[in-house]
Amino acid sequence: QTFPPRSPSVAGEMRTAWDVIGDAAPVEIVVRFDASVAARVAETRWHPSQVDETQPDGSLLWRARVAGVLEIRSWILGWGPDAEVLEPAELREWVALQHAKAAARYD
C-alpha cells in the first residue's frame, strides 16, 4: 500500500520534533554536559538542529531548536547530575525542581 506524501507543513513541523510532537512552538535548548559524559553525548546525533561545542574544561555545550520542551525533558533528566540546562529558564527551573524532589526522597 502506498501512502500519500506528507504535506510540506507536516514535514516542516516534524523537523523540530524531539520525538513525535511537532506542533509546539520551537524552543532554543542549551544544555551543558559534564566532561564525564561529553564524548557519549557528542557521538550521537540526537536532533537535526543540534550544534555541539566542546569547552576548554572538556564539558560540552549542546544546542538545538525543538518543538516545545515536553518530550526533551525526560532525555535531559536521564543524564542526571551530568546535564545542566542553561536555556530556556523555565526548563532549567523545571529540571532543578525535579532533581530537588528526587533528592528529598533520600533525606
Side-chain angles (χ1 to χ4, degrees), residues 2-88:
T2 303
F3 294 98
R6 285 184 168 165
S7 70
S9 62
V10 172
E13 285 179 0
M14 293 312 294
R15 274 194 293 273
T16 61
W18 180 255
D19 190 19
V20 296
I21 298 174
D23 60 351
V27 178
E28 295 289 334
I29 308 289
V30 181
V31 181
R32 177 184 300 126
F33 288 95
D34 189 76
S36 64
V37 297
R40 251 187 357 183
V41 174
E43 73 186 9
T44 300
R45 187 77 178 162
W46 300 98
H47 194 266
S49 70
Q50 85 181 53
V51 175
D52 302 335
E53 301 171 24
T54 302
Q55 302 300 295
D57 65 357
S59 66
L60 180 78
L61 281 184
W62 185 94
R63 301 171 189 273
R65 185 172 175 83
V66 304
V69 298
L70 184 62
E71 293 179 317
I72 199 169
R73 294 186 310 187
S74 295
W75 178 72
I76 293 168
L77 287 176
W79 292 99
D82 296 321
E84 177 189 3
V85 175
L86 302 179
E87 294 178 32

Side-chain angles (χ1 to χ4, degrees), residues 81-102:
D82 296 321
E84 177 189 3
V85 175
L86 302 179
E87 294 178 32
E90 299 82 14
L91 179 59
R92 179 181 174 87
E93 292 166 9
W94 185 88
V95 170
L97 179 61
Q98 302 315 302
H99 284 305
K101 286 179 180 177

